[in-house]
Amino acid sequence: MPADTSPVLRHVVLFAFKNEAPSEAVDAIVAAFAALPAAIPGIAAYESGTNVSPEGLNDGLTHCFTLTFAAAEDRDAYLNHPEHQRFVGMLGTCLERAVVVDYWVR
């Protein structure tokens, strides 16, 4: 990272959906996640996509979401924000498991 650039915090979320989860419900979850940056201040950037790796090492994780924050306080506010909490409440019947990793970009 160039010396004149402030470090940023990445929040990476990986989802594995249940086999029986309806595709419409999965699509609704993906759309709801994509709507969070407009609803929650402090999210500097958002990306998402589905696994396309040919290596076969995804261990059932199919969807990746990456949020960028300028500060840990922004990430913490996101985690506690009512819209994020509402989103988390949507996951119950469709989500098999989730993995979350946060890191400071170097």
Side-chain angles (χ1 to χ4, degrees):
M1 169 173 281
D4 62 342
T5 304
S6 298
V8 295
L9 180 61
R10 296 268 201 262
H11 178 74
V12 180
V13 179
L14 303 169
F15 285 164
F17 289 98
K18 294 178 181 175
N19 290 335
E20 64 272 12
S23 61
E24 299 82 16
V26 172
D27 291 345
I29 288 169
V30 170
F33 209 147
L36 292 179
I40 303 175
I43 299 173
Y46 168 86
E47 296 178 337
S48 70
T50 55
N51 180 50
V52 295
S53 174
E55 296 178 289
L57 300 174
N58 60 304
D59 196 26
L61 297 162
T62 57
H63 290 69
C64 181
F65 307 87
T66 304
L67 295 94
T68 301
F69 299 95
E73 294 81 11
D74 293 335
R75 186 263 330 264
D76 296 347
Y78 155 80
L79 292 173
N80 293 307
H81 194 281
E83 285 300 312
H84 177 256
Q85 294 301 313
R86 184 190 64 73
F87 169 74
V88 170
M90 293 178 64
L91 302 174
T93 60
C94 293
L95 195 64
E96 181 69 34
R97 68 188 176 100
V99 174
V100 178
V101 176
D102 291 359
Y103 65 95
W104 287 100
V105 174
R106 297 192 240 181

